[in-house]
Amino acid sequence: MIIANWKCNGSKKMIQDWSKHYKDTYIPFKNTFVGIAPPYIYVEQLINLINAYDLDIEIGVQDIDISSGARTGAISVDMIQDIECQFTIVGHSERRTIFDESNESVSAKIDSVGNKVETILCVGESAKENNDKETRNILEDQLSVIEGKVLPSSFSVAYEPVWAIGTGNTPTPEEINDIHKFIKDVVQSSSENSIVPNVLYGGSVNDANAESFFKQDNVNGALIGGASLQGKSFANIVNIFNGKAI
Ligand code: PEP
């Protein structure tokens, strides 16, 4: 599973160029979920281009609201389903820090999504928490949002150390592998139906380092910010994941 998070980036022109560059670079594959989460307003344009180029890419969103109706500025799960989105990211660290998102609201979002679309829950520790060797405690706290929930089998977690996002720094592949195993164990023991989720790594993944992460047994894919904004580099990462890098 390879997911692009475009955050608040993009324009009509960028999306046209991106689609062409992606199409020219990617090598067709089977059985890999490749998704892009653009800003909401570009979903339709991107879906049209993906259909026009016949690309095997699902479109999703970067966040979701818990309900519909009198909620100014919000977008509901039913709306994203209506425009053919297949997944939503929830709990990204930028939502938690810039928009004060709490575990409680992340939990409510997971409930409101249910199995209508796929959910990718982001978790990750800050630099200070990492230095203080608090990573596992922090992850346990963030994963407490799934306690007692019956989760869809498609439920995924993205391990995104906050200190690795957009910095060029990453944990070692072996450290990531250990943490992913920990996340799988926590989700299995705390979800009501004992699911073992796919765990993606996110934080400064690019086409030069992706292979080292993908080689790890417990790394089931990646969530990619900066390097997903160029169609060529994102396609390179997809090719690497599919073992088709040249
Ligand atoms: C992200 O913010 O989800 C992310 C992984 O960003 P980047 O790849 O730019 O570090």
Side-chain angles (χ1 to χ4, degrees):
M1 190 176 202
I2 306 290
I3 304 293
N5 174 13
W6 283 359
K7 311 188 183 186
C8 191
N9 293 295
S11 64
K12 288 201 273 187
K13 167 91 173 68
M14 172 267 183
I15 291 170
Q16 262 167 1
D17 293 346
W18 190 100
S19 305
K20 166 125 191 25
H21 295 154
Y22 181 88
K23 172 190 159 294
D24 290 344
T25 310
Y26 98 105
I27 301 168
F29 53 83
K30 286 199 181 108
N31 303 328
T32 298
F33 187 112
V34 175
I36 305 173
Y40 291 114
I41 56 167
Y42 295 121
V43 165
E44 197 169 351
Q45 184 199 359
L46 192 54
I47 288 181
N48 289 339
L49 281 163
I50 278 164
N51 289 338
Y53 285 129
D54 196 22
L55 301 175
D56 198 353
I57 294 181
E58 309 295 344
I59 302 302
V61 294
Q62 302 165 18
D63 194 38
I64 198 69
D65 193 33
I66 53 168
S67 187
S68 57
R71 301 181 66 78
T72 301
I75 302 285
S76 73
V77 185
D78 291 345
M79 289 171 186
I80 66 159
Q81 266 198 305
D82 193 31
I83 56 168
E84 293 163 35
C85 287
Q86 309 288 333
F87 69 92
T88 180
I89 298 169
V90 297
H92 190 280
S93 62
E94 286 155 16
R95 299 296 313 176
R96 293 177 194 262
T97 53
I98 305 171
F99 300 96
D100 284 336
E101 182 133 30
S102 64
N103 275 352
E104 288 67 32
S105 70
V106 171
S107 169
K109 287 177 180 187
I110 293 169
D111 288 340
S112 84
V113 175
N115 58 10
K116 290 180 174 174
V117 298
E118 297 194 17
T119 297
I120 301 164
L121 167 66
C122 297
V123 295
E125 81 286 2
S126 68
K128 178 172 186 319
E129 290 158 351
N130 185 274
N131 287 335
D132 292 348
K133 309 225 175 310
E134 284 293 321
T135 299
R136 286 169 193 244
N137 290 337
I138 296 300
L139 296 179
E140 240 166 4
D141 175 62
Q142 293 172 341
L143 289 168
S144 68
V145 299
I146 53 120
E147 231 162 68
K149 289 194 201 303
V150 175
L151 297 173
S153 56
S154 61
F155 187 85
S156 303
V157 177
Y159 171 50
E160 299 210 302
V162 180
W163 54 273
I165 293 179
T167 60
N169 302 321
T170 69
T172 66
E174 294 72 23
E175 284 166 343
I176 292 170
N177 196 47
D178 285 352
I179 292 291
H180 282 207
K181 176 75 175 84
F182 174 75
I183 290 171
K184 284 172 187 277
D185 289 347
V186 172
V187 174
Q188 185 177 25
S189 61
S190 55
S191 58
E192 182 66 24
N193 50 338
S194 304
I195 72 145
V196 180
N198 276 330
V199 182
L200 316 181
Y201 170 68
S204 296
V205 176
N206 55 45
D207 52 11
N209 63 16
E211 193 176 6
S212 65
F213 305 131
F214 297 156
K215 277 183 181 156
Q216 303 298 316
D217 288 346
N218 294 302
V219 175
N220 305 116
L223 178 52
I224 301 154
S228 74
L229 294 172
Q230 308 290 331
K232 190 173 164 38
S233 61
F234 187 66
N236 279 336
I237 296 170
V238 170
N239 292 342
I240 292 165
F241 186 75
N242 288 319
K244 294 191 169 159
I246 306 160

